[in-house]
Amino acid sequence: MKTNVTDKQIEMIFAVYRHVCAQREIDPLSDKGREIATRMFAMFDGSQNVEQMKRKFLH
């Protein structure tokens, strides 16, 4: 797992995670919610902004 993520990037990923879970009506603590979080961290490369990440996970 990547460890070179800044606090600001973690906050951004978490905000997108909450938004995606809310839009899909998924409990963030469920297995599906955990899967989404894992995928977000795995796919995050530092160049995306909030809107790009939301689009990627909602479409």
Side-chain angles (χ1 to χ4, degrees):
M1 178 172 262
K2 298 176 188 175
T3 58
N4 56 344
V5 181
T6 67
D7 290 345
K8 186 160 180 75
Q9 290 170 326
I10 290 172
E11 289 173 13
M12 182 192 72
I13 293 168
F14 186 64
V16 173
Y17 167 69
R18 287 190 325 240
H19 179 80
V20 169
C21 285
Q23 289 292 313
R24 291 184 175 180
E25 298 180 355
I26 295 171
D27 177 4
L29 300 178
S30 70
D31 288 340
K32 185 68 174 171
R34 289 183 192 131
E35 179 184 321
I36 290 170
T38 301
R39 284 183 36 226
M40 280 187 178
F41 273 101
M43 294 174 73
F44 183 73
D45 66 9
S47 67
Q48 302 101 328
N49 64 32
V50 170
E51 293 306 315
Q52 289 171 325
M53 287 188 70
K54 283 180 187 177
R55 243 183 318 218
K56 184 182 280 187
F57 281 89
L58 290 175
H59 298 281

